[in-house]
Amino acid sequence: MFKGIFFDLDGTLLPLDLAEMMNSYFRALTIKLSPLVEPVSFMEALMAGVEKMLYNDGRGTNEQVFMEAFFRRLDRDPRQLLPVFDEFYINEYRELGRHVVPRAEARRALDLAAASGAKVVLATNPVFPRLAVEARLEWAGLAGSPFTAITSYENSSFCKPNPGYYLEILQATGLQGPDCLMVGNDSKEDLVAAELGLSTFLLEDFLIDRGSAYKPTWRGSWEELLKVLGG
């Protein structure tokens, strides 16, 4: 039915409250960097970098615009801090998801999507490095899943809800919007894929409903999603 099936991660394949996870993330990262950077200055620089990613217009990768804004604000040597970031994502960050209970339905959905012959894409908002995305896949019990593409801040030049984010995926995978399905739990960030012709499924577990100009093609529970996928 679909040549491409895109899945959001946080609140979709990964059963967690995004706001709660982000608070834990910011707290843990600030503690990790505190021996090197004053916490208030660090958070100000971090949020400046995140804002640049969220409003990136394609002039560079999200990683590039983040680093530019972050280090301009902090005025520190990247060679001193970047190895500490990597160490954090390999160690402390992985511990943040130790209480997450994976959903069997998420694995089933990926299996059905792959069995259909579709290209399966992890379409998570690319404000994190690949190391962090892989850690969250581990929390979800989905490490090693055969995704055709995984978005991260290294390979993306836009963020949701900019339609350019979805266009970039389509171009990278050789897919056309009308041949694809986007599955997510955020009405603003995920349903905008319809602007490029994608069908959409709004998953109501961990629903984030901030309003949208687009109505989902389908909406409902995991059970209803699995039916759409042929299960």
Side-chain angles (χ1 to χ4, degrees):
M1 182 179 181
F2 296 107
K3 294 181 180 178
I5 301 177
F6 302 177
F7 289 93
D8 175 54
L9 181 55
D10 302 314
T12 302
L13 294 177
L14 177 60
L16 54 67
D17 182 289
L18 182 58
E20 184 177 312
M21 187 275 285
M22 291 302 292
N23 286 335
S24 298
Y25 161 70
F26 288 137
R27 184 165 54 250
L29 185 57
T30 301
I31 291 171
K32 180 70 173 181
L33 273 294
S34 61
L36 300 173
V37 185
E38 191 275 322
V40 173
S41 298
F42 172 74
M43 278 302 301
E44 289 176 349
L46 184 68
M47 297 313 296
V50 170
E51 183 177 18
K52 287 294 185 181
M53 287 193 290
L54 292 176
Y55 294 100
N56 191 4
D57 59 4
R59 66 183 180 87
T61 66
N62 289 345
E63 179 183 23
Q64 289 168 337
V65 300
F66 172 83
M67 293 299 177
E68 180 182 333
F70 178 79
F71 284 107
R72 183 191 302 120
R73 190 73 172 260
L74 207 56
D75 193 26
R76 290 296 183 94
D77 186 346
R79 292 172 297 181
Q80 180 188 28
L81 297 187
L82 291 181
V84 183
F85 273 96
D86 288 345
E87 183 181 296
F88 170 79
Y89 287 117
I90 292 170
N91 297 303
E92 289 91 340
Y93 185 78
R94 278 179 156 76
E95 287 299 305
L96 296 180
R98 64 186 180 277
H99 298 306
V100 173
V101 178
R103 293 206 62 146
E105 296 94 334
R107 167 60 68 185
R108 177 64 175 155
L110 290 183
D111 288 345
L112 287 169
S116 74
K119 293 181 178 179
V120 183
V121 174
L122 185 66
T124 180
N125 211 7
V127 294
F128 284 100
R130 178 67 177 251
L131 279 173
V133 177
E134 290 175 349
R136 299 208 304 286
L137 283 171
E138 289 179 5
W139 302 349
L142 301 173
S145 297
F147 293 105
T148 298
I150 295 175
T151 58
S152 64
Y153 84 167
E154 293 97 340
N155 63 15
S156 302
S157 303
F158 301 90
C159 282
K160 300 176 184 179
N162 191 323
Y165 166 75
Y166 293 99
L167 178 59
E168 204 165 44
I169 296 174
L170 293 173
Q171 292 172 337
T173 56
L175 294 165
Q176 299 295 317
D179 297 327
C180 300
L181 170 68
M182 174 64 199
V183 179
N185 68 306
D186 190 312
S187 63
K188 182 178 180 180
E189 294 189 349
D190 299 320
L191 298 188
V192 72
E195 187 165 319
L196 296 173
L198 284 80
S199 297
T200 56
F201 189 104
L202 184 62
L203 188 65
E204 293 181 338
D205 288 36
F206 297 99
L207 176 65
I208 301 174
D209 191 354
R210 294 178 285 183
S212 173
Y214 302 95
K215 291 186 177 180
T217 313
W218 300 276
R219 65 181 298 161
S221 65
W222 274 105
E223 182 180 1
E224 290 160 310
L225 172 60
L226 294 177
K227 289 178 182 177
V228 170
L229 295 175

